[in-house]
Amino acid sequence: MVRILASKLRDVELITDTGVRLGWVYDLSFDEKSGELLVIVAEPDEDLDKSDFVVDHEGLLLIPVSAVRSVGEVIIVDSKKLAVKSKLRGIRRKTT
């Protein structure tokens, strides 16, 4: 397993497996009790229609970690797993 520091993820671009540019990593959100990583909080691309995505009160995208396919110079997100947005509506954003 390759370990990646959270600080190295800041400003990494997020792209779907279908080539849609979502935006850039802004923060990470964890479960307070278990420590489980829940979502990547992303600053959306200016051309992205955010109405299809879960956003927080600041307009930042909430990308479920379960949708991440790979992490490298960019983060590839499974576009089909973004459709689980109804499950994320109750998550409060907690910063690291």
Side-chain angles (χ1 to χ4, degrees):
M1 171 186 357
V2 177
R3 294 178 186 229
I4 300 172
L5 296 173
S7 61
K8 297 289 185 187
L9 293 176
R10 180 74 187 228
D11 296 326
V12 171
E13 188 172 19
L14 291 119
I15 301 173
T16 68
D17 55 349
T18 58
V20 175
R21 178 182 287 166
L22 298 173
W24 294 265
V25 175
Y26 179 78
D27 209 342
L28 302 172
S29 181
F30 294 86
D31 180 283
E32 196 172 280
K33 293 182 182 180
S34 71
E36 176 186 7
L37 179 58
L38 299 174
V39 296
I40 296 173
V41 181
E43 187 171 331
D45 184 82
E46 62 186 29
D47 296 329
L48 183 71
D49 178 4
K50 295 187 298 184
S51 66
D52 293 335
F53 300 93
V54 175
V55 296
D56 68 5
H57 64 280
E58 297 175 17
L60 298 170
L61 299 176
L62 301 178
I63 308 297
V65 172
S66 61
V68 173
R69 293 183 79 180
S70 67
V71 177
E73 292 196 23
V74 298
I75 296 174
I76 304 298
V77 178
D78 186 331
S79 58
K80 293 178 184 160
K81 292 189 177 179
L82 289 174
V84 298
K85 61 186 177 182
S86 62
K87 293 181 180 179
L88 296 174
R89 295 237 184 250
I91 295 176
R92 293 182 302 150
R93 188 174 143 242
K94 302 248 187 234
T95 56
T96 55

